[in-house]
Amino acid sequence: MQHDFAGRIALVTGAASGIGEAVVRQLAAGGAQVLAADIDGNAATAVAMSLGERVQALQVDVSDPDAVRHMVDACKERFGGLHLAVNNAGISGASLQTADYPLEEWHRVLGVNLHGVFYSMKYEIPAILASGGGTVVNMASILGTNGWAGAAAYVAAKHALVGMTKSAALEYSARGLRINAVGPGFIDTPLLQSMDDRAYAGLVALHPAGRLGTAEEVAALTCFLLSDKASFITGSYHLVDGGYSSR
């Protein structure tokens, strides 16, 4: 289902591939103007060029608060405001047991997956309120509510992201700003291309649906939450996981 985003200005981080790219494409198809931000500026530019002048690209490292502030300022300068934001940028991090997790890697993972979302909301929220209100969707994970051995940093960041989303929703819901989180299961994106067949089959087996999800399915839920059809939904964490969390 295509939603009507005509007249809306959107910002998507992690927009160069996978879920982020799918969100950008669905927003643009609905008529939104979109700033597609990614640490890979060339890939973000390729996405933008494939969609026409309605979409523009920006290189940004969301773990840098000054870069995030510039990102939101750039969106306002290029399009005139901000109504919709999808904070999707994230990294997986090392797979190590908790006591063996390097401090540098811990801070790197939280720097992108948690601090980057906080920085984004810190600057997006005033811009959205100044534009008359809107919606934020933060990309969590099934690991925002489940554990995963060897992924302490990632799991900690995603659990915290869900809590931060709920707190922010309580703070701003009366001011015309809805804030929700989406929790994808394992999604068939370029991040899994290096996985061998046995490991891939093991991931599939964790999902009662018998397959991995697609970026387009996650984008469809995300865009529903961004749309006016979800006007009474805020402070929620929505799974799209093929039954993974019901096991």
Side-chain angles (χ1 to χ4, degrees), residues 191-210:
L191 290 175
L192 301 183
Q193 288 180 350
S194 62
M195 184 174 290
D196 63 43
D197 291 344
R198 183 177 179 182
Y200 184 90
L203 280 185
V204 170
L206 296 175
H207 299 75

Side-chain angles (χ1 to χ4, degrees), residues 35-160:
L35 182 64
D38 199 282
I39 196 166
D40 187 338
N42 291 333
T45 297
V47 171
M49 290 181 65
S50 73
L51 291 169
E53 62 182 15
R54 186 178 289 127
V55 179
Q56 295 188 27
L58 183 72
Q59 190 279 330
V60 65
D61 176 357
V62 298
S63 69
D64 179 348
D66 289 334
V68 173
R69 178 173 50 81
H70 169 73
M71 172 183 73
V72 176
D73 286 344
C75 186
K76 293 187 293 183
E77 291 168 3
R78 296 185 190 188
F79 296 121
L82 179 63
H83 304 103
L84 311 172
V86 180
N87 297 315
N88 170 73
I91 56 175
S92 58
S95 179
L96 293 166
Q97 292 189 341
T98 300
D100 299 323
Y101 217 87
L103 293 177
E104 181 179 348
E105 181 70 354
W106 172 271
H107 290 297
R108 186 179 77 91
V109 174
L110 266 69
V112 175
N113 293 355
L114 178 60
H115 300 162
V117 176
F118 167 71
Y119 301 148
S120 295
M121 287 204 297
K122 177 176 177 60
Y123 296 111
E124 290 162 354
I125 287 171
I128 293 172
L129 293 175
S131 297
T135 308
V136 173
V137 173
N138 294 324
M139 199 58 63
S141 163
I142 50 173
L143 302 185
T145 191
N146 297 288
W148 188 270
Y154 187 90
V155 171
K158 295 301 185 179
H159 272 67

